[in-house]
Amino acid sequence: MAAPTPASAYLHSATMVKAGIFLLARLHPAMSDDPLWFWTLLIVGGITMLLGAISAIKYFDMKALLAYATVSQLGVLVMLLAFQGEEAYIAVAVGILAHALYKGPLFMVAGLVDHATGTRDLRRLANLARPLIWVTVTATLAAYSLAGLPPSFGFLAKETMLETYYHFMEHGDQAVGAVALVAGMIVGAFFVLASLTLLWEVFYRKQADDLDQAAHVHHKPSFSFVVGPLVLTLIGTS
């Protein structure tokens, strides 16, 4: 995507990609008693969240990895909207907010890395922790929330999601709830893997895969470039 990084981060974390989720949420009170609504959202959302999570770790472009993680998160939200009850509504609301607070900074981190080195290719990036210290701090905290580790907002989103599936398994259809719970756990594991891949490949490993075209820092961003995503990240991990 050729859009400026702030616009890309805004659209892909908080607004444009959530428009469909907002529409489904608005329709949910009127449609939730229809079995066709339940099964459509459950199946489409479940397949989307699994394929998105698996696809994320296959790409070498930082923004592509983050974009497919977004696809997976949207699948999670669609699947949650299949369920009725307060737990599901809370999980959707928390999931939307948590996603905005960690994915926006991560997209901006991808832009900062691209600005500094001229590339987003994970095969050419390595050992940027020292030259891009504040970018590294921001990326680490945001990826920590993406992985769903405590006490981040991402952890709260993952826990409310799993609680919804567990509640349905206990008080609804046990088989469907168990399948949804296992799928949610698998997606959570892939989010951890995507977070580790992003951090390790860009910031912490010693040398790039492609040594002939290894990237170097040409335009070190000032702290004013980092303060915006850093503030969002701190909100999401507090």
Side-chain angles (χ1 to χ4, degrees):
M1 182 175 177
T5 295
S8 178
Y10 178 59
L11 293 174
H12 285 172
S13 64
T15 54
M16 182 181 69
V17 297
K18 302 286 177 51
I21 303 300
F22 175 76
L23 178 61
L24 291 176
R26 295 284 291 180
L27 291 172
H28 187 69
M31 306 288 290
S32 58
D33 291 329
D34 189 340
L36 181 60
W37 176 266
F38 173 82
W39 288 108
T40 300
L41 296 188
L42 184 74
I43 294 172
V44 172
I47 292 174
T48 301
M49 76 175 190
L50 287 170
L51 288 181
I54 294 170
S55 299
I57 62 173
K58 294 169 55 179
Y59 286 86
F60 297 109
D61 188 291
M62 291 179 66
K63 287 179 72 173
L65 184 153
L66 295 172
Y68 276 95
T70 297
V71 169
S72 180
Q73 179 62 29
L74 296 176
V76 169
L77 297 174
V78 170
M79 190 173 176
L80 283 170
L81 285 170
F83 298 91
Q84 298 186 49
E86 184 178 357
E87 296 87 357
Y89 302 145
I90 292 174
V92 170
V94 173
I96 289 174
L97 182 56
H99 182 261
L101 290 174
Y102 65 68
K103 192 56 67 63
L106 285 172
F107 269 111
M108 284 190 272
V109 162
L112 289 170
V113 170
D114 193 6
H115 172 76
T117 65
T119 184
R120 299 190 308 264
D121 192 332
L122 297 177
R123 294 167 295 186
R124 298 177 57 193
L125 296 168
N127 202 26
L128 297 181
R130 283 191 177 181
L132 301 179
I133 180 63
W134 286 110
V135 177
T136 304
V137 170
T138 303
T140 301
L141 292 175
Y144 189 89
S145 187
L146 169 62
L149 301 176
S152 66
F153 219 139
F155 171 75
L156 183 60
K158 184 168 70 174
E159 286 299 296
T160 53
M161 173 192 71
L162 296 177
E163 183 179 343
T164 299
Y165 300 152
Y166 183 78
H167 184 270
F168 190 78
M169 184 178 69
E170 290 288 301
H171 302 284
D173 190 315
Q174 185 175 14
V176 172
V179 170
L181 184 63
V182 171
M185 294 171 65
I186 292 173
V187 168
F190 272 100
F191 277 8
V192 172
L193 184 57
S195 301
L196 291 175
T197 299
L198 184 67
L199 291 177
W200 173 255
E201 298 286 339
V202 177
F203 299 104
Y204 295 112
R205 64 176 176 160
K206 296 303 180 183
Q207 63 182 24
D209 294 333
D210 190 346
L211 295 179
D212 294 332
Q213 298 187 30
H216 302 283
V217 175
H218 303 294
H219 305 284
K220 187 175 180 179
S222 65
F223 182 72
S224 62
F225 276 56
V226 187
V227 66
L230 182 59
V231 168
L232 286 176
T233 302
L234 291 175
I235 294 172
T237 53
S238 60

